[in-house]
Structures are given as structure tokens and as C-alpha cells.
Amino acid sequence: MFRTALRNVLAHKARLLMTVLAVMLGVAFVSGTLVFTDTFGNAYKNKSAKSFDHVSVAIQPDGVPLDSEKQPGRLTDGLLQKAGSLPGADSAIGTVSGFTALADKDGKLVGGEWGTTGTNFFPAKDGKDPRYDFTEGTGPKSAADIALDSRTAERTGYKVGDTVRFSTDGPVHTAKVSGIFDTDDGSVVAGGSLVVLDNKTALKALGKHEYDEIDVKAAAGTSEAALKSSVEKILPKETDAVTGTQLSSDQDEQIEQQTSSMSQVLLIFAGIALFVGIFIIANTFTMLVAQRTKELALMRAVGASRRQVTRSVLIEAFLVGLVAAVTGFGLGLGVAVGLQALMNSGGASLPDGPLVIAPTTIVTALVIGVLVTMLAAWLPGRRAAKIPPVAAMNSVHATPTTRGLVVRNTIGSIIVALGAVLLFNDDNYVMAGGAATIMVGVIILTPLLSRPFIAASAPLLKPFGVTGKLSRLNSVRNPRRTASTAAALMIGLTLITAMTVVATSMGSAINKMAAGSLKADYSVSMANYEPLTPEVRQKIDKLPGVEATSPLRTAYGEADGSFTNVNGVDSTTFGKLVGLDLTSGSVDALKGDSALIDTDTAKDKGLTTGDTFPLKFEDDKKTVELKVAGVYESNEMLNGLFTPTSVVDPHVTKVADKQVLVKMKDGASDKAEDSIVKALGENPAITIQDKDAISNAVAGGINMVLNMLYGLLAMAILIAVLGVINTLAMSVFERKHEIGMLRAIGLDRAKVKQMVRLESIVISLFGAVLGIGLGLFMGWAVGGSVADAVSTYSMEVPVGRIVIFLAVAALVGVLAAVWPARSAARLNPLQAIKAE
């Protein structure tokens, strides 16, 4: 049986080519993902490990925040000196870091909103800081100096002696570049920037009154464990001592978790690609088995058992899967390199490192390729073995029984109903399971759904005359084959359509929310949404074109026993800047010890306008009794408790604003925005957004994710296209006799090509319509859960994009038919008539 299977594989190389390609692409996606994430994680581990060379033991806060500036710090200079003078300690340095915006020569922010970090220069006895390897100049010695990492210096063109502008919480500072250094800091390697200030300046600029961490280096001959024991004796309350080895291990684990999350996302799409490939494999083997029905029947007649027939088909599948897996793994190495280049071109700046090919990756690629192919081929093989030898010898084209289709349709209907029940569940995981269940049910029902759709296409095919009618009849001749070919395309378009509907509707909801919630023309905030100094508002207030401003000053507390965020605002101007949807009370009543609360809080606590409730801040000072000035409907932009800044300020460690809302006398304009930019010193750390910019920032993030998902799903669409090509090519081979007869009675080559092309378009459009319809349903169902969280959400059908999807599906049909149509047209009529 093995020799027979091998001969069959060699005899049908061309017909198995598309199957090999489908499996190969899926395996390439899987192996490429695994190699990429292993390589990425290993390179980061190698880079980050060097960051702890100077750390034997680190003293860290245990996570409990300081309550006020008046409370003594934990990681102070006094503790630093004690740690450095311990027996077995060679040196001790204090470290601080925080967001520090650096402007390039054009005044733009370097490193992105989250990637620019400022830290301190803490020289040891030799005048060097072990964290930085200076290649030019020296470390900063005063507030007039700053040092840059070499990657940032190269990107910006800054050199030693140049003057640069930077900011940490609002005001712009200038300093001269004293030196340029190399660093293995993970954020810098990943595309961020690192600026270094002298120790005193860094503490002040970053608003620190203690160190973030104290790193102690062991003297020669002292172990980490021994030094840690000594350090633990001087630890103040609420601090911990951690060895450098443990820090490195924790960072490795964190990197592994991050790469694992990335790997899981990519593997989900690889799984989708392989799932689509299953339909192609099953279709191919079904048609190959059908074409060899007499051959298999003869084998049964001369003594082969059902198991042997099934086994011969599975051996063929094993050989095909093995070839596809091996070639797919080789292609996967290219995919890994391509992913790295793609992310670097997008600004990710991934660390350099050799490709990591783990043995498990090789085994996984081979096992997946072989198992998927054998799994898809098992049902056609089993079906072939069940055909009685005599019946098989009498008919080459054994059509599926009506009973089989009835059973299939019943099972499909039950599965769809079960999925619909699961889809309307509050749990996201259950909902995702329901969506997948519905998709499986619809796939099972596609033979049933194909007949009415193809019948409905008759008017569109009528202008093509006899070729249109023949293409329609060919499409419906074998509903199972048509269904499985269309299902491959359907899966990709279902996911794409559902995501597009939700993304489009979400973007529209954000626009409505911004328009309804904000009367202010601008929102001024730090680029990374860290707190702003109150000095920013003071500068804006001095502008002649400003009508009103208000800070949003955030604190946290317990309102009548429940944790809530508290927003301190200017009660005299707040009503001019926001559009609260009040159910009772008014913004004008927000005076003194009062608050505006949302409807959920009011309902939970049984509060109404005029009632009082206790508010306890995190600093555990005296509880404040607040009067309810009004109740409003919250949304993603305006939520929590609003109270005058006079209530919040006494309970925060440092008075700072989350953002400043600004209303101009003449509304938003380029001139107005420019005046604010100049008033704030053209600060790279500050972002100024109007309503459109706020909406676009959210929509831009949604579209970026959507485009990335489009790219990942393109693999599944490509495999689906291969499936259409494969089905048509084998169908043409199967219908040689029929096509020969058509040619003999007058159907010319152009008409034959047109017939195959129309058949391809009908199948592709069937898959597209089914996928888009199912995607719209899923988008509506998922949108229901989104609407519960986003009050302005309503489903919007992206008609333009759906038209594009249908046009792409039609184009897929045209392109997929090129080779099969050409093959059909080139058949010699006489030879084709003689073919069996």
C-alpha cells in the first residue's frame, strides 16, 4: 500500500501542488512566528542582562506610595551612604528615572510619547557611572549639562557642545550636550531615547524626593547572598532587597511574557490560515479519490480491506504534508526575518541577534504540517473505502446521497443555534466561542446555502448566454465541493468584515462623544499623559484670545465606602468647557464642598441632588463631607467625581494637572493653536489637541490595529485563492470529456475560458457574500456588548469598504480562473472526448 500511495503522489504532482502550497504557507506562518519570537526574546535577554552588571543587590520600595512630601523618604542619601559603607560593598549608586521629552532640531519630540526617558548621572569614586559607557565627552556635572545616548545622537544629529531643549512636566529647559554614551537599556534598544542629567538636577526635574532604587555592587570575594544579608540589616520599613541575579531573572520572565503575548496573537492568525488550508486539502483529496474510484474499487475487489484503502490515502497525505512542512519551515525562516525587518521599518528598532531555531520549533512545524494534512484527508479516504466495489466500478462520479446532506444540514442548524445562544453572553470568552461556533455551523450549511445563491445569480449570468448557464450549472453540480471552496474565502472575509464594522462604529462613537462632551476648543496635556505643572495653565490664561480654562486635577479616594477617581476642576469655568448630560442639579451649583457625581454612583449609594456623602482621600486625612451639586450620565471622556480644586489640593502630594481645558473667544483655529504653542515655549513634551485631534488619535489607533489585522488575515485570503485555483483546475481535469464534447459541437476557446471564469467568479462571490453577511451579523452582536460600555456606540455599516471587499472577491475569481481556464481552452477536443 505504501508503494501504491507513493506512485499516486508522483502521478498527481501537479494536482497536489496547491495543497502543498496551502500547507506550506500555514506552516511558514507558524514556524516564522515561533522563530521570530524566540529570536526577539533571546536578543532582548542578551541585551538586558548587561544592564545588571553593576548590581549585586538592589534596594527597592515595596510598592507602598509615600503619603506626602513631609513624610521622610525611604531611599534617601543617608540610606545610600549606609549601603555603600557596608562590609563587602564596593560601591552604591542611587537611580531615578521618568518621562523626559527631548526636542530634535526641528522642535519635534524624540523617541515618541512613551519612549523618552530621563535619568541621573551618579559618578563613583573614579568619576564614572557604570551604567553608561561614554564614547564622546563626559557625564553631566551641573544643571547646564545633559548627556545623550548614541542612538539618539545619531538620529537627531546632536553633537557634544550643541544646545538642546527638554521638558519633564511643562516648563522648557535648555542644556548643552556634555557627552554621548552607549547603553544596553532595553527601551533605547527598542527605539526610545535616554537623556542623562546630573543627580541633583534629575531629582528636581523629575519631582523626586528620594531615589527609585539603590544599587549596591559587591566587592571582590563577596557573594550576592552575603551582601544581601548585610543590606537587609539596614533596610527601612516598606523596602526590599533583591539580588542582581533575581532582577535579571525577573526581567527575563517579563520579556518572555511579552513575547509570549505577541506569539499568541500571531499564532491565532496562523491557526486561521491552517484552518482555511484544511478545506483545500479535503477538497483536493475528495476529487482525487473520486477520480480514482474505479482504481480503488479494483483494489477492494482483489482483496484490499477498507482500512487498507483508507490507509493508502492517509499515506499519500503524510507524504504531501511532510514535503509541505519541510518547505514551509524553510520559508518560515524568511518570514521571521521579514517580520523583524517590517517592525524595524515601522520604528520598533528591535535588538540585533542571530536567528534562534529551537528544536521544538522544528518538531512543531513538521507535526502541524503532517497532522493537518492527514486530518483533512481522513474523511475523503474513509468515504472512498465505504463505497461497495461493484457500485464504484459502475460509476466514476459517485454523487453524495440526499440523506447525507439532510444529516449535514440538521447538524449545521443545531450548531448555529448553539452558537447564537453563546454569542449573546456577557462573558467575552463565551462570546468568542459563540462566534466560532456559528462560523463552524455556517460552514457545515454552505452546501444548502449554495443552491439559492447560485440560483439567484442566474439573471446576472443570463447576458453571457450559454456559457453563463453552463457556469451556473457547473457551480451547483457538486454543492459540497462548491461549499468547501467558498468556505475558505468566507472565513477570512467574515473576520475582516466583523472587525471593520466594530472599528468603524467605534470611531464614529468617539467622534460623537467628543462633540457632545467637550465645549472646550483644546485639551492641553503631557505627551505621555503624565501630570502637568500648574504653570502651564497660568501661561495660557495670560493669552488675550482665551475665554476660559480649567484644570483636571486627579486624585483618588473612597466616596461613601467605594473607591472612585476624583477630578478637581475650576468651578467658575468648568460649565463653559464641558457638556455634561445632567439628569438633575446644575454645574453652577458646584461651589465649596460639593461634587457632581455620575448616575451609577448615585444609584449605588442612593444619592440625589442636595444629599451629602463622605469622601476620604488616600492620604487618610480628615474625611470631607460633600454636597451633591448634580448627577450626570458618564462616558469614556467624562467620568468619576468632579469637585472644586480647593477640595482636592490639600490631599495630593504634589499639585499637578492631568490636563487643561481651553476655550478660545473666536473658537479653534491655526492661529489660536499657534499662540498656545508659543506661549508654552514650543514644548516637545506637551500635546495640544482640538476635538478632531482627540477623535483622530483614538481612531488612528483603531485603524492601525485594523490594518495590522488585515495584513495578518491576508495569509488566509491567499490560501483561499489557492483553493479556488485548485478546485477549478481539478474540476477542469475531471470534466475533460464534457469540455471536449462542448468544443466538438461549436463552443470556441474564448467561450470555454469565459465559462470557467464565470464559474470561478460565482464561487468567489458566494464565499464573499456569505462571509460579509456573517461578518455583519457578528459585528452587530459584538457591538451590543460595546454599546453597554460606550453610550454613543451604534452600529454603522461601512458600505464603501464592503463594496471593496466584493470587488476584491470578484477579482479573486477572475485571477484564480486564469490558469484553469487556459488549461480548459487548450484541451484537444478529440483527445478529451476519448478521455474517461
Side-chain angles (χ1 to χ4, degrees), residues 340-651:
Q340 190 168 13
L342 181 64
M343 295 188 74
N344 281 332
S345 67
S349 298
L350 300 179
D352 296 326
L355 282 180
V356 176
I357 306 173
T360 53
T361 302
I362 300 173
V363 173
T364 301
L366 295 177
V367 168
I368 285 177
V370 171
L371 282 183
V372 166
T373 310
M374 292 182 70
L375 178 66
W378 175 76
L379 189 59
R382 184 171 176 271
R383 191 182 296 133
K386 291 175 68 175
I387 301 174
V390 175
M393 286 181 181
N394 288 334
S395 175
V396 173
H397 306 291
T399 58
T401 63
T402 304
R403 178 178 174 275
L405 289 174
V406 170
V407 171
R408 176 172 179 155
N409 294 338
T410 302
I411 294 173
S413 300
I414 293 171
I415 292 175
V416 168
L418 176 62
V421 172
L422 296 175
L423 195 62
F424 296 99
N425 191 286
D426 294 333
D427 188 285
N428 289 332
Y429 291 104
V430 175
M431 186 184 296
T437 304
I438 287 178
M439 186 178 292
V440 171
V442 172
I443 289 170
I444 295 173
L445 287 174
T446 41
L448 175 67
L449 299 172
S450 65
R451 290 184 179 277
F453 175 85
I454 294 171
S457 68
L460 298 176
L461 297 173
K462 192 172 183 179
F464 296 98
V466 68
T467 55
K469 183 176 181 180
L470 287 171
S471 65
R472 178 172 59 82
L473 293 174
N474 288 333
S475 299
V476 81
R477 175 185 295 179
N478 192 324
R480 279 179 172 164
R481 183 185 303 168
T482 299
S484 58
T485 305
L489 191 60
M490 179 201 79
I491 294 167
L493 284 175
T494 296
L495 297 173
I496 287 174
T497 303
M499 290 186 298
T500 303
V501 167
V502 174
T504 303
S505 303
M506 193 66 190
S508 178
I510 296 297
N511 288 335
K512 293 176 187 175
M513 193 182 298
S517 300
L518 293 178
K519 295 179 184 177
D521 295 309
Y522 296 103
S523 169
V524 180
S525 63
M526 289 289 285
N528 68 336
Y529 302 102
E530 286 291 315
L532 278 168
T533 175
E535 182 184 332
V536 170
R537 186 199 177 192
Q538 294 167 11
K539 289 183 177 181
I540 295 173
D541 279 336
K542 293 177 182 178
L543 292 173
V546 172
E547 180 180 336
T549 66
S550 173
L552 283 179
R553 198 164 290 167
T554 303
Y556 299 95
E558 289 184 13
D560 201 14
S562 298
F563 182 81
T564 185
N565 63 307
V566 184
N567 301 292
V569 299
D570 186 333
S571 58
T572 61
T573 59
F574 189 56
K576 298 178 182 179
L577 298 163
V578 299
L580 288 177
D581 183 10
L582 290 163
T583 58
S584 64
S586 71
V587 179
D588 293 336
L590 189 64
K591 299 175 182 177
D593 290 345
S594 63
L596 296 169
I597 63 174
D598 59 71
T599 51
D600 291 337
T601 301
K603 184 178 179 181
D604 290 343
K605 305 303 175 186
L607 297 172
T608 59
T609 299
D611 291 345
T612 60
F613 65 93
L615 178 65
K616 183 179 181 181
F617 287 90
E618 282 188 316
D619 61 357
D620 289 332
K621 289 184 178 179
K622 183 180 177 182
T623 299
V624 181
E625 289 289 331
L626 297 180
K627 182 179 180 180
V628 179
V631 180
Y632 72 96
E633 292 282 355
S634 65
N635 57 44
E636 279 59 44
M637 289 192 172
L638 296 173
N639 55 72
L641 185 151
F642 293 96
T643 190
T645 53
S646 58
V647 175
V648 174
D649 289 353
H651 301 276

Side-chain angles (χ1 to χ4, degrees), residues 33 36-38 40-45 48 186-187 190 249-267 343 350-351:
T33 296
F36 169 71
T37 51
D38 286 345
F40 174 74
N42 184 68
Y44 254 124
K45 286 177 184 177
S48 64
S187 62
S249 175
D250 291 344
Q251 186 159 325
D252 286 351
E253 186 177 341
Q254 184 180 4
I255 292 169
E256 192 170 331
Q257 289 175 351
Q258 292 171 347
T259 55
S260 176
S261 300
M262 184 192 303
S263 176
Q264 287 172 9
V265 172
L266 292 172
L267 286 174
M343 295 188 74
L350 300 179

Side-chain angles (χ1 to χ4, degrees), residues 18 485 489 718 720-729 756-757 759-761 763-764 808-822:
M18 295 301 171
T485 305
L489 191 60
L718 176 59
V721 172
L722 293 177
V724 178
I725 296 172
N726 201 30
T727 299
L728 286 174
V756 176
R757 195 178 298 121
E759 182 181 348
S760 177
I761 292 172
I763 293 174
S764 297
V808 169
L811 181 62
V812 164
V814 172
L815 295 177
V818 171
W819 177 42
R822 188 166 175 266

Side-chain angles (χ1 to χ4, degrees), residues 293-306:
T293 304
K294 284 189 174 181
E295 175 190 329
L296 294 174
L298 184 60
M299 290 172 62
R300 289 289 313 282
V302 297
S305 66
R306 287 185 178 183

